[in-house]
Amino acid sequence: MRTNVAIIGGGPAGLMLSQLLNRAGISTVVLERRSRDYVLSRIRAGVLEHGTVEMMHRAGIADRMQREGHPHEGCFLSTEAGMFRVDFEAQCGQSVMVYGQTEVTQDLYAAQDQIGATVIHEAEDVMPHDIDGTPFVTYEKNGHTHRVDCDFIAGCDGFHGVSRKTIPAEKKREFERVYPFGWLGVLSRTAPAAPELIYANHPRGFALASMRNDHLSRYYIQVPSDDRPENWSDDAFWAELKRRLPEDVADSMETGPSIEKSIAPLRSYVCATMRFGKLFLAGDAAHIVPPTGAKGLNLAMSDVHYLSEGLIGHYERKDDSGLDGYSDRALTRVWRAIRFSWWMTSILHRFPEQDDFDQRMQEMELENLRDLDAARQAMALNYVGLPF
Ligand code: FAS
Ligand code: PHB
């Protein structure tokens, strides 16, 4: 096969890049390790920044989101001293869209089918070759080795993918912070506990009450890094979640069987070069944020925004400035989201080794947010998404 851009990974980053490039007349081949059903079975992000919403319109996949998504103009922060609201609209004139990553991925697959894009599932042992020369990608499928010759390779294969590993160690600088806890997440066919998200800082640990729609709720509680989903019965989960949420919310919330239960580890990670030769990294392949700031999926989308612009400049105008500036431009926004996600994580979780002073500083950060308009504005601007 021959294509303009070979894309490794058929998650939101890979599919959105394929969608935007094909709409600009640039050919792609997406190579996804898993089946489509498996990709669509993963329950992940729930909040879209306004920039991501705008990209979905530009990609022609916004119809269902417009019908089924829920705009949120604020969120709640719950502390031992009580609960308060951060009003995004009042603070910065923007809001976010609650619309699950699963739905975004589904909409992308449907759009890719519609335009006849090439998405190859269950492509095994995908391997980029000659990334600093004349690139190509090989993969195994049905017992045969296949080759895709291309001009560029987009590594959209997530944190555990192959792309980042093919950049020579001496050519990349990596930054990492692994947090001493994870998030136990539950999806349940129950009415959301509140009309907007509640981020709770509690002595027993962090909790988050979120949702997908009026009949589907998504909850998280902070658990030790070595905890496992099978250690938690539904009853045990609901009891612990209720302990960490405000009493009136806990007393009135609907519980029910979990239809998905999993633990996500929390880490901050940046690969401080998102390009090597003809290989470009986008999304989790290049960076990871703790989900506290709802940035993971949205960062993948801003990477794709910059990379698609660079590639379109190359093919339409033989202008390589976007590609040459991609890594620096994407990393500028990545680092701001890394900081915001680290900050949200540091003020909302109980760290095993934190001392009384640390605890007091956490309380003061939260009081700052509660009492200072400017502090809430800074949080709102970051939460709804900084400009691309
Ligand atoms: P993805 O990981 O989504 O997609 C990469 C794709 O590449 C996958 O389909 C994978 O199968 C494929 N792949 C991997 N290796 C390959 C190979 N060698 N060859 C071919 N294909 C390969 N973000 C939030 O904002 N909020 C959340 O609540 C949240 N929860 C999360 C929970 C979990 C468990 C995880 C892992 C992430 C979570 N995230 C969350 C972050 C998540 O939403 C990512 O930011 C988002 O999926 C990034 O999209 P991609 O970069 O496309 O990576
Ligand atoms: C979710 O609904 O899955 C969600 C929402 C906000 C976050 C993280 C996860 O910060």
Side-chain angles (χ1 to χ4, degrees):
M1 259 184 285
R2 170 112 190 81
T3 191
N4 293 135
V5 182
I7 298 173
I8 304 177
L15 293 170
M16 179 60 91
L17 181 62
S18 174
Q19 182 67 8
L20 292 173
L21 293 181
N22 278 279
R23 283 170 68 93
I26 298 165
S27 65
T28 64
V29 170
V30 177
L31 297 171
E32 166 56 50
R33 176 167 63 180
R34 303 288 190 175
S35 69
R36 183 180 290 202
D37 286 350
Y38 184 95
V39 174
L40 290 173
S41 69
R42 291 189 290 229
I43 306 295
R44 291 198 176 157
V47 172
L48 306 184
E49 293 177 348
H50 63 90
T52 300
V53 170
E54 191 275 324
M55 267 181 91
M56 290 183 64
H57 282 281
R58 226 170 347 111
I61 61 164
D63 291 351
R64 191 162 74 98
M65 175 191 63
Q66 289 292 91
R67 290 196 308 274
E68 299 177 15
H70 293 255
H72 276 215
E73 297 186 356
C75 73
F76 292 98
L77 294 179
S78 166
T79 73
E80 282 185 277
M83 187 159 85
F84 61 93
R85 184 168 182 266
V86 178
D87 186 333
F88 306 142
E89 272 300 326
Q91 296 295 359
C92 62
Q94 293 279 8
S95 58
V96 294
M97 178 72 77
V98 168
Y99 188 68
Q101 173 172 324
T102 308
E103 312 317 319
V104 173
T105 310
Q106 200 156 323
D107 295 340
L108 280 164
Y109 271 128
Q112 289 276 282
D113 291 345
Q114 206 170 13
I115 62 174
T118 306
V119 181
I120 297 170
H121 284 280
E122 293 168 319
E124 295 177 349
D125 302 328
V126 178
M127 187 55 67
H129 299 274
D130 203 3
I131 58 178
D132 206 11
T134 310
F136 63 98
V137 180
T138 55
Y139 67 94
E140 304 294 323
K141 181 153 177 141
N142 301 330
H144 297 293
T145 300
H146 302 262
R147 171 174 167 142
V148 183
D149 289 290
C150 51
D151 304 324
F152 301 102
I153 300 171
C156 302
D157 46 351
F159 185 65
H160 301 290
V162 65
S163 302
R164 187 178 68 252
K165 296 171 189 148
T166 53
I167 298 179
E170 67 276 9
K171 296 292 184 186
K172 60 192 170 193
R173 190 173 171 207
E174 299 178 276
F175 299 78
E176 185 167 47
R177 164 67 49 86
V178 178
Y179 298 93
F181 39 73
W183 278 17
L184 168 62
V186 157
L187 191 67
S188 60
R189 292 195 204 292
T190 53
E196 293 177 331
L197 273 63
I198 301 175
Y199 289 88
N201 173 310
H202 188 276
R204 296 177 66 91
F206 167 82
L208 170 59
S210 183
M211 74 284 289
R212 291 293 177 269
N213 57 49
D214 294 344
H215 314 287
L216 197 58
S217 297
R218 179 71 169 161
Y219 296 104
Y220 298 94
I221 56 171
Q222 170 187 347
V223 292
S225 300
D226 58 359
D227 209 339
R228 306 178 60 75
E230 50 270 23
N231 296 343
W232 289 84
S233 67
D234 285 359
D235 290 348
F237 175 82
W238 292 119
E240 187 58 37
L241 175 72
K242 288 186 171 188
R243 289 188 194 99
R244 301 185 187 184
L245 291 175
E247 203 171 327
D248 59 328
V249 172
D251 290 347
S252 60
M253 69 184 284
E254 182 191 357
T255 63
S258 60
I259 54 176
E260 195 271 349
K261 192 185 286 175
S262 56
I263 291 182
L266 266 64
R267 82 174 75 234
S268 300
Y269 170 85
V270 181
C271 176
T273 179
M274 293 174 61
R275 180 224 183 139
F276 181 74
K278 303 287 179 51
L279 171 68
F280 294 83
L281 302 180
D284 277 15
H287 41 71
I288 291 284
V289 285
T292 329
K295 292 293 159 225
L297 172 60
N298 293 297
L299 264 188
M301 292 301 163
S302 52
D303 290 349
V304 166
H305 169 75
Y306 301 134
L307 183 53
S308 61
E309 280 198 338
L311 287 164
I312 291 167
H314 169 86
Y315 284 103
E316 276 188 358
R317 306 185 302 277
K318 299 201 182 328
D319 168 9
D320 280 356
S321 59
L323 291 178
D324 294 340
Y326 167 69
S327 189
D328 288 345
R329 191 179 179 204
L331 283 167
T332 300
R333 193 169 190 278
V334 164
W335 276 114
R336 286 182 180 272
I338 290 277
R339 181 214 65 87
F340 177 68
S341 305
W342 162 82
W343 174 74
M344 283 280 279
T345 302
S346 63
I347 68 170
L348 289 169
H349 290 74
R350 292 298 157 108
F351 288 70
E353 77 292 342
Q354 78 182 43
D355 61 20
D356 291 349
F357 179 80
D358 297 327
Q359 181 52 35
R360 197 76 192 98
M361 288 304 101
Q362 237 188 36
E363 286 158 9
M364 293 321 298
E365 280 285 348
L366 290 162
E367 284 186 24
N368 221 26
L369 277 172
R370 185 192 61 201
D371 302 341
L372 284 185
D373 199 53
R376 286 195 305 280
Q377 185 179 43
M379 177 185 158
L381 283 164
N382 280 281
Y383 193 90
V384 301
L386 296 175
F388 281 11

